[in-house]
Amino acid sequence: MAFAHDMTERLLVDAGIGPGMRVLDVGCGHGNVSVLLARLVGAQGMVLGVDRDAGALAVAEARVRELGLLQIAFLQRDVGALSADVGTFDAAVGRRVLMYQPDAVAAVRSVATAVRPGGVVVFQEHDPSMGPGRLAPLPLHERVRGWIWQMVEREGASLHMGFDLDGVLRRAGLEVEHVRAEAIVQTPDAPYDLFSIVRAVLPRMVAAGVVGPEEVDIDTLEQRLRDERQGNPGTYLPELVFSAWARKPA
């Protein structure tokens, strides 16, 4: 996950997230972005992570306690049900959140209620519309990638939120300042950790009826993916990652 994490950090810095700011992390999950934000805002800043999943929040809370990050707090709340009672923030951030919202525009409007006038709203969304990119096929990688995106689609998520991101922010009444699209580059010696993702979401893939445990064969999958990369020295781009930041009108 290091490459995606670096991409997210660069986005947040470019969007102006910095020391002393109050930042809302929507759909925070296990708190990965919350921890990153805490480092950027420093001890004088504050981060509130919001998620509807109590189990994920428990993991996030245990993590920040272990790290001693006193500037992070968490709140169980649906992204689409935010209001000014959560406080007022200089910025709101979400990663892979809007794709899971039944009404992404309404969700952004909900998030914006907690952002001060002139504050910034930042989102990052993956989009498989143009992937994969490669010169030579990597059939196992492409099959595994297909499992993940089938799961996402069957869970009701939008597969094209990246391409829709600019329009969603504008329809929510925000002033879009920047949109970019990047790719996580997988090479034989610096691969994206596809195996760890599959291991983490395997129960969800099985529950969605995408694939059975026997076909995945999780005990051998990591080695099989490694063998395929080493047998093909080409570069592989799995999907695009769209990032954008917008301003709440003053």
Side-chain angles (χ1 to χ4, degrees):
M1 293 296 291
F3 297 105
H5 200 64
D6 291 344
M7 188 183 295
T8 302
E9 182 171 8
R10 185 169 62 253
L11 166 66
L12 297 176
V13 171
D14 290 350
I17 307 297
M21 292 180 68
R22 290 172 51 85
V23 184
L24 181 66
D25 179 13
V26 297
C28 64
H30 292 170
N32 294 334
V33 175
S34 299
V35 171
L36 172 55
L37 287 166
R39 188 167 75 245
L40 294 177
V41 303
Q44 302 306 311
M46 181 268 186
V47 178
L48 177 65
V50 175
D51 202 287
R52 63 186 177 189
D53 187 334
L57 290 177
V59 173
E61 288 170 344
R63 181 180 183 188
V64 300
R65 280 197 302 270
E66 182 178 346
L67 294 173
L69 296 173
L70 301 180
Q71 69 269 54
I72 303 179
F74 294 100
L75 174 68
Q76 186 176 3
R77 185 77 64 87
D78 190 280
V79 171
L82 295 175
S83 59
D85 70 315
V86 301
T88 303
F89 297 84
D90 301 300
V93 173
R95 183 171 71 178
R96 293 194 298 273
V97 173
L98 296 181
M99 63 189 298
Y100 286 100
Q101 303 305 310
D103 186 335
V105 173
V108 174
R109 288 176 179 153
S110 171
V111 170
T113 62
V115 177
R116 65 170 175 80
V120 68
V121 176
V122 187
F123 281 102
Q124 187 175 73
E125 300 286 337
H126 288 220
D127 192 312
S129 302
M130 294 179 63
R134 73 283 188 271
L135 294 179
L138 289 167
L140 179 59
H141 282 69
E142 291 165 24
R143 185 162 70 251
V144 171
R145 175 182 175 274
W147 293 340
I148 294 171
W149 283 108
Q150 285 179 52
M151 174 200 73
V152 169
E153 185 173 30
R154 292 187 185 185
E155 290 178 338
S158 168
L159 301 190
H160 310 298
M161 185 50 63
F163 275 100
D164 289 341
L165 185 55
D166 174 78
V168 166
L169 296 176
R170 291 182 189 278
R171 291 195 299 275
L174 302 180
E175 299 169 351
V176 176
E177 295 189 345
H178 183 79
V179 181
R180 66 177 59 149
E182 302 174 270
I184 299 168
V185 180
Q186 297 182 31
T187 61
D189 60 343
Y192 186 56
D193 198 354
L194 185 59
F195 169 73
S196 294
I197 296 173
V198 174
R199 182 174 56 189
V201 302
L202 180 57
R204 290 167 54 193
M205 290 196 298
V206 173
V210 171
V211 69
E214 300 81 8
E215 184 177 356
V216 176
D217 191 6
I218 196 69
D219 292 334
T220 67
L221 181 61
E222 183 174 26
Q223 186 61 51
R224 286 184 287 132
L225 288 168
R226 183 181 298 116
D227 290 345
E228 185 172 75
R229 284 196 305 272
Q230 292 176 347
N232 183 339
T235 296
Y236 180 70
L237 307 180
E239 63 252 342
L240 290 176
V241 181
F242 285 79
S243 304
W245 65 83
R247 193 76 52 182
K248 182 174 178 177

